[in-house]
Amino acid sequence: MTVQPTIRNEISTPRILAFIGVVAVVFAVFILRLFVLQVLQGNEWLAKAAENSTQEINIAAQRGLIYDRNGVILARNVASYNVVVKAADLPDDPGATQEIFRQLSALIGVPVNRNEISPENPYVPCVSDHGIAQIAEYAETSTPYQPVRIVCDIDERVAKVIREKKLDWPGIDVEIQPIREYPTGSVTASMIGFLGPVPAALEDYYVERGLVPNRDKVGYAGLELQYQDLLAGRNGLRVVQVDVAGQELRNIAPPIPPRPGNSIRLTIDTRLQQAALEILVDEINDWNAYFNEMRYSSGVVIAMNPKTGEILAMVSYPTYENNRMARFIPAYYYNQLVNDPTNPLLNHAVGDVLPAGSVFKLVTSVGALNEGVVTPDQVISTPPKLEVTERYYANDPGQAREFVDWNKAGFGHQDFVHGLANSSNVYFYKLGGGYKDEVPNGGLGICRLGTYARALGYGQAPGIGLPDEEDGLVPDPTWKRINQAESWSSGDTYIASVGQGYVLATPIQVLLSAATIANDGKLMQPTLLREVLDNEGNVIPIWRTPEGDLVEQPTPGSVQVSPFQPIAKWDLTTDPVIQEYGETTIRGCEPIPGKMKTVAPWVFQKIKEGMRLAVTEGTLAKIFAGETISAAGKTGTAEYCDKYANALNRCIPGNWPSHAWTVAFAPLENPEIAVVAYVYNGTEGSTVAGPIVRRVLETYFELKNIDTAPPVQ
Amino acid sequence: MKAQNFISTWRHFDFWLLGAVVLLVIFGITMIRSAVAENIELVELNLVQRQAIFAIGGLVLMFIVSAIDYRLWASISRPLYIITVVLLGALTIAGAALFGSARWFDTGVILIQPSEIAKIVLILVLADFFTRNMSKIHNLSFVALSFGFAMLIVVPILLQPNLSTSIVMMVLWFALLWASGLRIRHLLMFIGAGILAPIVAFPFLVDYQQRRILNFLFPDPNARHGDIYNIQQALISIGSGGLLGQGYGQGTQVQLRFLKVRWSDFIFSAMSHEFGFIGVLLVLLVLLFVILRCLRAARLASDTFGALIAYGVATMITFQAMVNIGVNLNLMPATGLTLPFVSYGGSSLLSSLIGIGLVESVVLRHRALDF
């Protein structure tokens, strides 16, 4: 058979069938693949499709404001204006767009063309330097329906001009961004704190609370941090459908509107705060000018109402300017603050633990009188120095050690009020550690000293409502064994009795001890918070749980903190908070379970008498000469040795530098103001800290006169 | 007599094939309408209207081509071949010199892709070539000769550069070679060469072509844009279609434009998204039916030339459809081949309909000796 392809169909059927076979296999694979994708995995892909077209838009809630007790604004939000471009709204005609760019450029000073945006030179809103056309092109290709910032923080007048041009300049708009502003700036910075971007380490925590990193700001320090949740409110949420260019099409779910943050009113009186800062700085500068060197660098002044616990002023100096952190935290400024040896970022009033020195004698006084170690009238010899045998355990033969008085001449013989008024070290050594038959049985002892110290507010953070509060330290033998690997010696007790050695306290604790005495044994809960306000300015009730959370409904164990009501932590004359101890301290302090007692009311009267005598005749007499406010006070000159003193070779006995302390209250009969002043390296309590306290006390009464004076007709 | 002859000829017209093709074309236009609905720029370009005009023009051309006795093409096959080679060569050189690429030829009224027309010409001249030389098919040197014969048309297109159409043409050559009786021994050789060729050819590919292949073989799961992004969106579109689809004009992937080139290269994904597994299965079956009807024409053809034409057209449609669907389903690297009859694209639609016209012409005359 010859092949005749031109007149017969010579294509063999098996070859066509083979072709059909291949097609069948391929189509079977396709159908199988479709079945897997669409039927078996359909829901997974459906979720991805939904993810594509669904966008959650977080609506920022307005942050609450901070007021002082008189309604003066301490923190508020101000508008800042950014020029933005929405590329999708720009005219289609490139010529018209260029014309808009040219006119805008003339107004805002950003050139039309500069610095192409590239991976090496990326667009960073508000920071990177690019021309308008480059930013518009970037917006066009990345997010045409989202506003992209051309320039940030422009003048309000320019912003208004651009807004008026909105019709002529489609695609160009002004975005209003809230910026935190602190009208009182550095006067209140250590208390108010500042805001910063959501930190990476806490991103999950804040995102869970509905905040948006890189947009929302959170408290970094002070009350802005302490009351972050209260002030921030709750951001709103819209779930919208978007197309591929990001244009919003419709709400998928009902939108949740943002809940504005609550405002808070503080107990602070800004006028007193301002005055206290100026007085502190004035004294420090005067002394530095006198010595012709920067001898004094930092200090603290706190004023509170001892009857209510309201903090009226809290100055920690030096501090920082929180308005400089408003837009972003400048790295050079922040580094400068962090590296500053005076640590301006710390609120020293609650966060610096220091040797308290003689102001701690108030604790020894309460303990010794209440325990009957001495009677108030008992006269004790107070030579220039005390030589006792220092023992580390009961039968230790011991070594003789000298304990000197600050007054090299000594005080001869003193009864209690004079001992306190003159701040005789020897008198209080004997009260704290005992001395022969004069003060038998080892005096008050470290264990009982400790319980009285804690009863007066030492050794625990006062819970004033600031993030950097410290506990301080009330030492005992067990603490020393654990931390110093050494037994408690009798000498340690002597030293602790005058607030030296291991005793450490924050300025607020010193103030609390004096305020408790002024208030006849009632330790008031100190607070900065007076009221919580909703966004319409109405006071809303707020409770604080034992864990420290703020809640809007009372829970078991919670206390109401808004509106303000004085809370007594305890009244020493009625609440048994003084622990009784067994005789021995060999195995540390041994509290006798259930044996608690109160303090006799006369003890506080006697101490107030001694503190008044300090002002009239004693350590503060010179400083308070001519005062008419009936003040009572106590000085402290606390020797210290820290790394800066060590660097100056001052850490040798007899040459230690000292901090200056003075705490006082007035009037004696019905105290309404208590003030503590502390100056780092302040040489002497009375001369450096004393004048500060006096001037702040007097300013308080001047302000009170202004407030209560009948209005001028 | 003449009228009776006319009727007896048209009696064999394959209305099933015509019906299936018209169904696919109408479905394609409907799908394009959904795909461009939300895109103002594309609506302004009147893609739907243009495709409809091309479809009508294409159907008219199809009837004209089926009316012409296909054997005419055999008689003018040599001048047809020479003119095509010369024109393509000239066009490629001129186009490259003038526009940088010669994929499009502006007739003044519409843009024509010469490569689409060249596919039809290649089917005709190769069918004629193999019919004439069927007795030499066992000879490997003849196989080589036929390769060279085809390459004269393929090379200018490869240089345009248009790799995907070139591959279609090589497949056409090979398919016709197979149908004409390529020896199994030689087939195995070709399979071996077919495996080696891509590896050898890879370094000569243009940058974007290399990237597409690499992306297919080693996908970067973090890619947000580019080829992977398109393929990913295609898979999302197909998968989220589910059993019954999102509904016509309702699919978020299509309507909100997450799916790219959804009116052309990825129209298969778009219809999978909106019509689901059931809908797409029906379309696949119709497409399969068209292919089988073309192969039926090849079986019925009264001579080898006609059979090879019908077979060539079937190959063209099948291969393009398989590659297009394969890309959509991420079974193959991305290429620019459209889905025959369905995808937007005038030239492609025209060449497919002309191909169907040729098949109808073959079917019409399969019993020329019928009295």
Side-chain angles (χ1 to χ4, degrees), chain B residues 19-35 48 51-52 55 247-249 262-263 266-287 339-344 349:
Chain B
V21 165
V22 168
L23 208 62
L24 285 178
V25 171
I26 290 173
F27 178 76
I29 294 172
T30 316
M31 206 57 235
I32 292 165
R33 184 170 162 271
S34 172
V48 179
Q51 182 79 346
Y248 178 68
R262 57 203 168 274
W263 53 90
F266 287 109
I267 200 160
F268 181 82
S269 299
M271 68 197 199
S272 304
H273 185 57
E274 297 204 332
F275 292 102
F277 182 68
I278 301 290
V280 97
L281 198 61
L282 287 174
V283 174
L284 282 182
L285 290 178
V286 174
L287 200 58
L339 186 61
F341 308 114
V342 182
S343 284
Y344 174 79
L349 183 61

Side-chain angles (χ1 to χ4, degrees), chain A residues 182-201:
Chain A
Y182 305 102
T184 48
S186 58
V187 174
T188 50
S190 58
M191 194 164 33
I192 303 292
F194 61 98
L195 301 183
V198 173

Side-chain angles (χ1 to χ4, degrees), chain A residues 418-439:
Chain A
H418 286 88
L420 183 64
N422 292 321
S423 197
S424 163
N425 285 4
V426 171
Y427 184 87
F428 281 94
Y429 289 147
K430 288 181 173 177
L431 260 54
Y435 187 68
K436 297 183 177 163
D437 294 337
E438 206 175 6
V439 182

Side-chain angles (χ1 to χ4, degrees), chain B residues 43-194:
Chain B
V43 169
E44 280 172 358
L45 282 174
N46 275 328
L47 293 197
V48 179
Q49 225 174 314
R50 287 160 72 108
Q51 182 79 346
I53 291 166
F54 270 110
I56 291 164
L59 284 171
V60 170
L61 263 180
M62 187 201 79
F63 278 111
I64 293 171
V65 169
S66 45
I68 299 167
D69 190 333
Y70 65 93
R71 281 164 291 216
L72 170 73
W73 306 113
S75 60
I76 61 160
S77 117
R78 273 182 198 182
L80 196 62
Y81 177 76
I82 291 162
I83 290 168
T84 306
V85 169
V86 170
L87 274 183
L88 276 176
L91 199 66
T92 302
I93 293 159
L98 293 179
F99 311 110
S101 171
R103 291 178 79 146
W104 298 92
F105 180 67
D106 194 346
T107 60
V109 185
I110 48 168
L111 288 170
I112 295 284
Q113 270 182 295
S115 56
E116 289 292 336
I117 307 302
K119 281 191 286 194
I120 299 295
V121 173
L122 187 73
I123 290 171
L124 293 174
V125 295
L126 276 180
D128 179 54
F129 186 77
F130 283 124
T131 307
R132 286 175 202 274
N133 302 296
M134 215 164 178
S135 52
K136 304 179 199 157
I137 200 85
H138 298 299
N139 198 335
L140 198 56
S141 60
F142 168 73
V143 172
L145 181 71
S146 75
F147 180 74
F149 183 80
M151 282 310 278
L152 279 182
I153 290 186
V154 175
V155 166
I157 290 175
L158 192 60
L159 291 176
Q160 279 182 355
N162 189 344
L163 181 65
S164 46
T165 305
S166 316
I167 291 173
V168 173
M169 290 178 157
M170 293 314 298
V171 167
L172 281 174
W173 163 76
F174 183 75
L176 291 175
L177 189 66
W178 161 254
S180 308
L182 177 71
R183 283 184 152 188
I184 301 295
R185 179 145 48 97
H186 295 156
L187 175 75
L188 293 176
M189 266 173 52
F190 276 112
I191 289 173

Side-chain angles (χ1 to χ4, degrees), chain A residues 8-9 15 33 38 52, chain B residues 178 182 233 238 253 304 329:
Chain A
R8 275 177 46 194
N9 185 345
R15 287 185 180 244
R33 171 85 168 155
Q38 297 196 290
N52 264 344
Chain B
W178 161 254
L182 177 71
Q233 291 304 327
I238 295 169
Q253 285 291 104
T304 306
L329 292 170

Side-chain angles (χ1 to χ4, degrees), chain A residues 504-637:
Chain A
L504 292 174
T506 61
I508 185 75
Q509 288 172 337
V510 172
L511 178 63
L512 280 183
S513 67
T516 307
I517 290 162
N519 202 25
D520 298 321
K522 254 194 222 163
L523 176 60
M524 304 306 293
Q525 170 63 53
T527 182
L528 285 166
L529 181 67
R530 197 170 159 78
E531 283 160 356
V532 177
L533 312 167
D534 67 13
N535 65 318
E536 287 166 353
N538 306 312
V539 177
I540 53 172
I542 293 284
W543 284 262
R544 180 165 46 223
T545 64
E547 293 80 43
D549 297 325
L550 298 176
V551 290
E552 292 186 2
Q553 298 294 330
T555 56
S558 63
V559 289
Q560 188 163 11
V561 294
S562 167
F564 176 75
Q565 52 189 19
I567 301 162
K569 269 183 148 172
W570 50 69
D571 183 344
L572 294 177
T573 59
T574 55
D575 299 329
V577 291
I578 306 294
Q579 175 71 52
E580 291 189 32
Y581 289 92
E583 285 299 310
T584 170
T585 59
I586 291 172
R587 286 184 296 275
C589 296
E590 291 180 341
I592 303 169
K595 292 275 265 183
M596 308 289 278
K597 63 177 166 188
T598 59
V599 179
W602 65 265
V603 169
F604 298 112
Q605 290 309 319
K606 210 68 205 173
I607 295 170
K608 284 206 262 186
E609 208 180 294
M611 290 174 77
R612 175 63 185 157
L613 199 63
V615 170
T616 51
E617 295 178 13
T619 50
L620 285 166
K622 227 160 79 185
I623 299 300
F624 276 71
E627 59 91 21
T628 56
I629 53 176
S630 182
K634 181 76 201 76
T635 57
T637 304

